Structure formats: structure tokens, C-alpha cells
């Protein structure tokens, strides 16, 4: 079975690693104006995958404020979260909830903070941050420095918990 992902700009085909036009199914080059998050979800940029579905993708933040700090994005490229239609926004929140449940199992914490913040990437996203105290979700504090092996182990643990649901 060929796995594809649907974006506003076309269809991403995983095995061929090519974009296809919806109407003609002809390959086309990845748009230069795609957000970095769209490129991550499409597999063009490596990430520490924590969860995925046909419509959404979750991966570890490479500049985490806490161990397990995860970003959840819609595959549909939309800059502002409240520009998503109601149905997609509701599905996005439900997907983020599933990721948060997996995150809490993988990274023991009192709660998982949900933060919608950031202007630097023009792509809607939710930060999920494991926290023992509110200070754990402070974006002004120094970022954690984790090794690639630590990041991969955390991502694998979250993804393993996500798949159990």
C-alpha cells in the first residue's frame, strides 16, 4: 500500500518521496515557501517523531524547556491555529490530548502543559510540556541540552505509549 499525506498544496507520497498534484497526480517540486514544520511532517527534515496520524504529526522540540517537550502540528499548513476550520481544530485538540496522555506515561510528571505560543514558525502548533511545577513551562529559562540518543529514547518512549492507545 502506498502511504500518502494530504496537504493544501498536494499529496506527499512516502515511498517515492515526491509531491503530486491533486488533479493530475504528476510529481512536482516541494514548494520553497513551505514552513519548516511542513517539511518535518513530510520527512524532508529529520525529527524525533512522537506520534502521527493522517492529519497530524508530533515531534520533540529540539530546544526543549523540559524533558519530553513535544510539538504537535496539523499536516495542513496553516499559520494561525484559529484559522483552522472547527472540525479540524477539534480533531487537532483530540490528537494533542492523545499525545499528552502518551507523554505523561513516558515522562512522569504531575501534568502536561498545553501552550499555544510562537511567532517564529508560520505554522499552527501546540507545545506539550511535562511539568512538575509551572516553572517547567517557562520559555525564558535556558533550554535543555540533550544528546541525540536521549532525544531518540524519549521520542521512542512517547511513540510506544501513543501506539498502545
Amino acid at each position: 500500500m502506498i502511504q500518502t499525506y494530504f496537504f493544501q498544496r498536494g499529496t506527499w507520497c512516502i515511498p517515492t518521496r515526491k509531491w503530486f498534484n491533486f488533479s493530475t497526480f504528476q510529481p512536482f517540486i516541494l514548494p520553497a515557501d513551505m514552513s519548516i514544520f511542513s517539511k518535518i511532517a513530510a520527512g524532508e527534515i529529520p525529527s524525533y517523531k512522537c506520534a502521527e496520524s493522517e492529519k497530524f504529526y508530533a515531534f520533540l522540540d529540539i530546544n526543549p524547556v523540559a524533558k519530553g517537550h513535544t510539538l504537535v502540528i496539523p499536516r495542513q499548513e496553516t499559520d494561525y491555529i484559529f484559522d483552522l476550520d472547527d472540525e479540524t481544530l477539534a480533531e487537532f485538540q483530540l490528537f494533542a490530548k492523545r499525545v499528552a496522555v502518551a507523554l505523561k506515561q513516558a515522562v512522569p510528571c504531575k501534568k502536561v502543559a498545553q501552550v499555544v505560543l510562537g511567532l517564529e514558525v508560520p505554522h499552527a502548533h501546540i507545545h506539550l510540556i511535562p511539568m512538575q511545577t509551572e516553572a517547567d513551562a517557562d520559555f525564558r529559562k535556558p533550554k535543555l541540552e540533550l544528546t541525540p540518543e536521549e532525544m531518540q529514547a524519549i521520542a521512542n518512549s512517547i511513540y510506544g505509549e501513543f501506539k498502545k492507545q
Side-chain angles (χ1 to χ4, degrees):
M1 180 177 105
I2 294 179
Q3 188 172 12
T4 57
Y5 293 109
F6 298 95
F7 286 75
Q8 288 177 329
R9 293 187 167 97
T11 303
W12 175 250
C13 179
I14 297 299
T16 62
R17 298 180 58 78
K18 292 181 183 174
W19 282 89
F20 290 87
N21 180 295
F22 277 128
S23 57
T24 64
F25 285 94
Q26 296 297 313
F28 65 93
I29 296 172
L30 289 170
D33 65 341
M34 284 178 61
S35 78
I36 189 170
F37 288 170
S38 287
K39 291 178 182 180
I40 288 170
E44 286 298 303
I45 296 174
S47 68
Y48 297 101
K49 178 171 59 175
C50 299
E52 69 178 328
S53 72
E54 195 171 292
K55 290 185 170 186
F56 308 105
Y57 190 79
F59 57 100
L60 291 181
D61 191 313
I62 59 169
N63 295 303
V65 297
K67 183 179 171 184
H69 180 170
T70 301
L71 297 173
V72 183
I73 63 168
R75 291 186 186 274
Q76 172 187 332
E77 191 166 293
T78 301
D79 180 11
Y80 183 49
I81 193 168
F82 297 118
D83 284 341
L84 293 168
D85 63 78
D86 291 350
E87 182 179 334
T88 303
L89 180 59
E91 291 173 4
F92 187 34
Q93 285 291 335
L94 291 172
F95 180 80
K97 178 182 178 180
R98 289 183 59 211
V99 176
V101 168
L103 178 56
K104 193 169 188 301
Q105 292 295 317
V107 180
C109 57
K110 288 184 179 178
K111 291 186 178 181
V112 174
Q114 175 178 287
V115 180
V116 177
L117 176 74
L119 297 172
E120 47 296 317
V121 179
H123 194 121
H125 58 285
I126 294 171
H127 296 262
L128 297 177
I129 304 165
M131 58 182 215
Q132 300 297 337
T133 70
E134 290 179 2
D136 292 333
D138 184 351
F139 285 81
R140 296 169 296 186
K141 71 180 186 179
K143 306 302 184 252
L144 294 181
E145 293 184 22
L146 302 170
T147 67
E149 295 79 18
E150 289 173 307
M151 295 284 280
Q152 191 61 62
I154 295 165
N156 290 347
S157 182
I158 297 167
Y159 199 35
E161 292 296 332
F162 181 80
K163 289 193 281 188
K164 288 179 186 177
Q165 299 177 24

